[in-house]
Structure formats: C-alpha cells, structure tokens
Amino acid sequence: MTELIDFISNNLQMIYIVILMIFVGVEVIGHVPAVLHTPLMSGANAIHGVVIIGAILVMLNAEPDNILALALGFVAVLLGTLNVVGGFVVTDRMLEMFKKKK
Amino acid sequence: MEYIFSLEFIYIIASVTYILGLKMLGHPETARKGNLIAAAGMTLAILGTIFLYKGEHVNSTIYILIAVAILIGTIIGWMIAKKVAMTKMPELVSLFNGMGGASAALIGLIEFHHYTGDKLSVFTIIAGMVIGSISFSGSMVAWAKLNGTMNKPIRLPKYNILNNVFFLLILAFAAYVILSGSDSQLYIYLLFFAALAYGILFVIPIGGADMPVVISLLNSFTGLAAAFGGFLYGNMVMLTGGILVGSAGTILTFAMCKAMNRPLSNVIFGAFGEGAVAAGTGSTIKGSIKEASASDVAILMNYAKKVIIVPGYGLAVAQAQHAIHELEQLLESKGVEVKYAIHPVAGRMPGHMNVLLAETNVEYDKLAEMDDVNPEFQSTDVVFVVGANDVVNPAAHNDPTSPIYGMPILDVENAKQIIINKRSMKPGYAGIENELFYNNKASMLFGDAKKMIQALINELKNM
C-alpha cells in the first residue's frame, strides 16, 4: 500500500496528464460527423504509432552486446515506423478525396 | 537557449500537434491539414529522440540499426499505404494498428528483466505488453476477416465463458508475476503468448460486419499500450499521444455502435445473429417479389425527375463505384436530379462509402447523410438500392422482434418506385428477411452490381 502511495506522489504530474488527456480526447472527438469516422480512426491509429519513441529508447539504452534486445528493438522500431508512416499516408489518401471539386 | 531546444520542449510541441491534429480531423475542411500537422509533430518527436536523447552506451552501430529499421519501415509502410485499393482501406487500418500493438509488446518483452523488483514498473511493462499483444493478434484476425481470408465467425462452444475464464487466468498470472518479483524470462514469454492467444479468441467469434467496431476498439487498446510505455519511461509524448488515442478511440467506438444502434456488449459478446434471428425470421413476410429487367429500370429512370441511389457494401465488392458515377452523370445529362443517400454504416466502416464515392469524383454535395435525405424520399420518383440490405429494412421501424429493431434506416419505402439490385434473395449480414422486397412499389433487379449498372447505362444511352 505504501508503495502505491509513493508511486502516486512520485508521479503526480503524469497522473494529472492522464486525467486531463482523457477529457481532451473525449472533447476532441465529440460531435464529429459519421462521414469522418473512418479518417479519424485512421488518424488516431497513426498517432498511437508514438510507441515508436519507446522502441527507439529501448535501442538507445540497450547494451551494444545484448543481441536479443537489439534484434527485438530493431523489429519494434520497424513495426512502429510502419504504424506511423502507413497510418499518416493512408489517412492523407482518404482525405485527399474529400477536397471540394470545382 | 539550450533549454529551448531540449527534448522536453520538442515533446510539448509534438503533444500539441496531436491534439490539434485530431481536432482538425473532425471537420471536413481542415481534416487533411490536421493529419499533416500531427504527422509533422510525430516526425519532430522521432528525430528529437534519436538526436537529443543521451543513452549510456550508445554507439554508432545502434544509430545505424535505428536508421535502417526506420528506413525499411518507411519504404514498406509508404508503399502499402499508397498502393492498396480504397475498398481495402479498413483492413489496412487494422494492419497498421496491429504493427503498433506488436511494437508495444516487444518493448515489454525487452524491458521486463531490467526492472526486476520494481513492482510498479513491472506492472506498467506487463500491462503494456499484454494489451499490445492482444491488439496485435486481434488486429491480425480482423485484417484476415475483412480480407475475406477468414469469412465465417468461428465460435467455440460456450466461447464467451471460455474467453472470460482465459482472460481472468491471464490477469491472475500477470498479478502473480508482478507480486512475486520474479525475473523469469519463461514467465514473460508465457504471458506474451497467452495474450496473443487471447487476442485471437477475442476477435474470432465476431462477425465480419462488426469488424470496424472491433478495429476501433483495438485502436484504443494500442493507444493504451503506448501510454503504459510512456509511464514506464516517464516519457510525456508517449503518454499524451497514447492516452489521447485511447480515450478518443473509445468515444469513437461508442459512436460507431450508436450509429448501428447496438450496445458494445452485443458486438463483443455476439448476442446478435443467434437467438435474436431465430425469433425475427418468422413467416411474417407474405406476398411475392417482382422482378424487373435492366430496360424496365432504365425507362423508369429516364422519365424520373428525381433518383436517389442507396449504395451498400455490395456496390463496393462489385467494384461498381465508377459505373454508378457514370450512371449518375448520364442521368444528370438527361435532366434527372440524382443524389446518393449514405447510411452512417454503409460500406465496411462509417464513412467508408463516402471515401469510395469521393474517389470516383462524385461531388461531395451529392452525398446526402441519412437525416438530411430521409424527408426527401417522398418526393423521389425512383430509389435505386445497390448492394444494401439491412440499412433499408423497414423491420427496424415496425418489427420489435427483429434484431435490427430500432436501428435508424433510410426510409426508401416512401419513394414512388423502389429498385433493388442484389445478386440473389440471400439475406444481408444480419441474416434476416427484408419485407421491403415484397413491397408493391419494389422491383428486384437481380445480378452483379457492376454488370447491371453497365446494362442500365447502355439502355439509357440508346434512349
């Protein structure tokens, strides 16, 4: 129990961020027309590609002789990149079609 | 001055771009710019991490490895995203979502033994890994289902109980690993594979038409997994991005369920399509259907003042979106007013049909949303339903025993003539009869959507 309390007081900042971000997420998505649900989902999909930062940190912190960690980290960075690049490009392709035609 | 260019500052900018980007994605005029802004923020955060983070034993080999991984990922991701047909969009989103989940899971696998003894860190690692793994394997199943590789929902006997018990076992095992302070690599790999298996079991019983909801849900799972990574490293940009997607994704999931008028629990636990259908498919529908030929329909359309087209997934499957656009232009040139009525869940994802039609250069103004177009059916001469079924089923209004009762539908029965193009009399996804087909004003135009529309075009050209 004391561990939990320590954890909370040590990470107060992050806990505030989590709470505020939950509300921002709800606010930002509310009242979006159904037409845009697919691009929105795709855009959000690209944003959680931010997990690639974690994969990069894994590699930057790995001991140079820890082959397993480096190999897994390499794959993690690669997959994270796929998520980011693929996600944003596909969203852009969808939205390109929504532009008004003259 | 140095402080301004620090990593923390870059992460703040990136976080702002994510919020701004998502906000802008919610409006048709700003959506594209919003996506680009978020992408720019992401690029900044990635480059910042690589160049400004001071690791302990970083050497040039590691930098090269990172660069190679990013290069390969960029090329493959870019090519897939650019090449795939628009009808395949939903499975693509699922695929990329799975990649993110896998990335989060791998981070957990690597970091586990670095934090032995620190229970709360181990908790964030295991939580991120389990959620990421479920998201990965679940997304892969969703991808296979949308792809058509895995058509039928596969239901083990008592699958709901089985899945829940399995999930509880995973939770219990995870709790044991965390509390025992174990550093066993065997345990973490066991958990990893168990979570992968659960992801498969979770998605496999769910029908293909519900996949968008599942993908949206898994999307928010991956966000959550990324956020746990952020907690572990005290990394603000992962935390903000992850939580933002987690919460936005959850809201989006509920919005999709609302558009189909089904609670999320129905989608996941599959109350749909079993008991309910048996009750709804009684012999209540009497009467006969009328069949029309392409030339009958062409004549009707030629002399109509107003035609509304109701496109459904059948249109997309037949790749008939270009043909329907040609038909629309031909009719317009003959002075007929043509519109498309888009049901919120037409296609394979909300908004999917709009994307498909927009791709063929159908004018944005011609795509009418359900609430706007419903009052117009009364003044419409011909409604042309192509490959849609459940979204025009009047049972949603007047049969309380029907599983789709209460779902908002397009009121096509108010139009003067209803033409329904289908391949056969086979019921739609919901597996229920559609009394609309037996309506006096309705005629069936049987055949492949693309071929029949082409036939209509030929007939009209000769008039």
Side-chain angles (χ1 to χ4, degrees), chain A residues 3-4 7 11 13-15 17-18 21-30 32-64 66 68-70 72-101, chain B residues 11 18-19 22-23 25-28 31-32 35 38-39 42 45-46 49 53 55 57-59 62 65-66 69-70 73-74 76-78 81-82 84 86 89 92-93 96-97 99-100 102-104 106-107 110-111 119-120 216 219 222-223 231 233 235-240 243-245 247-248 251-252 255-256 349-352 354-355 358-359 361 364-365 369:
Chain A
E3 270 185 54
L4 192 66
F7 176 79
N11 296 289
Q13 215 188 351
M14 286 205 270
I15 292 166
I17 290 180
V18 168
M21 270 301 158
I22 291 175
F23 282 96
V24 171
V26 172
E27 259 332 286
V28 157
I29 300 298
V32 169
V35 182
L36 284 173
H37 279 173
T38 299
L40 198 61
M41 174 152 87
S42 180
N45 177 42
I47 289 176
H48 69 48
V50 73
V51 71
I52 190 189
I53 305 276
I56 294 173
L57 290 178
V58 163
M59 292 207 66
L60 292 177
N61 286 326
E63 298 92 26
N66 188 345
L68 181 69
L70 283 178
L72 290 179
F74 180 84
V75 177
V77 173
L78 202 157
L79 296 180
T81 313
L82 272 177
N83 187 176
V84 171
V85 175
F88 281 120
V89 172
V90 123
T91 313
D92 188 62
R93 241 186 96 192
M94 281 184 210
L95 292 169
E96 195 183 7
M97 291 160 190
F98 278 98
K99 64 171 182 259
K100 291 243 176 199
K101 309 227 160 53
Chain B
Y11 283 167
Y18 300 158
I19 300 172
L22 267 190
K23 180 83 197 156
L25 270 168
H27 301 279
R32 199 171 178 201
N35 183 52
M42 186 70 77
I46 292 171
T49 310
Y53 184 82
H57 352 254
V58 190
N59 60 23
I62 290 180
L65 281 177
I66 294 176
I70 290 182
T74 306
I76 299 178
W78 194 287
K82 280 281 180 196
V84 168
M86 272 316 205
M89 214 86 306
L92 208 56
V93 174
F96 291 137
N97 181 46
M99 297 300 112
S103 185
L106 288 177
I107 294 172
I110 303 165
E111 293 290 6
K119 283 177 191 159
L120 285 158
S216 178
N219 190 27
T222 313
F231 237 109
Y233 295 121
N235 185 301
M236 292 307 169
V237 79
M238 285 176 78
L239 193 66
T240 51
I243 294 286
L244 191 64
V245 175
S247 120
I251 296 299
L252 201 56
M256 287 186 187
M349 268 189 179
H352 189 202
N354 303 67
V355 174
E359 188 192 17
N361 288 327
Y364 191 74
D365 307 332
E369 288 201 39

Side-chain angles (χ1 to χ4, degrees), chain B residues 255-310:
Chain B
M256 287 186 187
C257 287
K258 210 177 143 206
M260 295 194 283
N261 196 43
R262 296 176 55 198
L264 183 61
S265 58
N266 259 11
V267 174
I268 293 173
F269 299 118
F272 203 49
E274 281 179 305
V277 166
T281 45
S283 52
T284 46
I285 298 170
K286 291 193 178 71
S288 56
I289 55 157
K290 274 202 302 274
E291 220 184 308
S293 70
S295 58
D296 299 338
V297 177
I299 291 170
L300 268 178
M301 285 184 172
N302 197 24
Y303 295 105
K305 274 205 200 72
K306 186 170 175 183
V307 173
I308 293 185
I309 299 166
V310 179

Side-chain angles (χ1 to χ4, degrees), chain B residues 10-79:
Chain B
I10 284 179
Y11 283 167
I12 292 175
I13 297 176
S15 302
V16 173
T17 64
Y18 300 158
I19 300 172
L20 212 62
L22 267 190
K23 180 83 197 156
M24 290 169 81
L25 270 168
H27 301 279
E29 313 84 56
T30 54
R32 199 171 178 201
K33 209 191 263 173
N35 183 52
L36 292 179
I37 288 176
M42 186 70 77
T43 313
L44 194 65
I46 292 171
L47 293 178
T49 310
I50 295 173
F51 291 110
L52 297 175
Y53 184 82
K54 303 275 180 287
E56 279 170 49
H57 352 254
V58 190
N59 60 23
S60 52
T61 324
I62 290 180
Y63 280 120
I64 292 171
L65 281 177
I66 294 176
V68 171
I70 290 182
L71 189 71
I72 299 176
T74 306
I75 294 172
I76 299 178
W78 194 287
M79 275 179 15

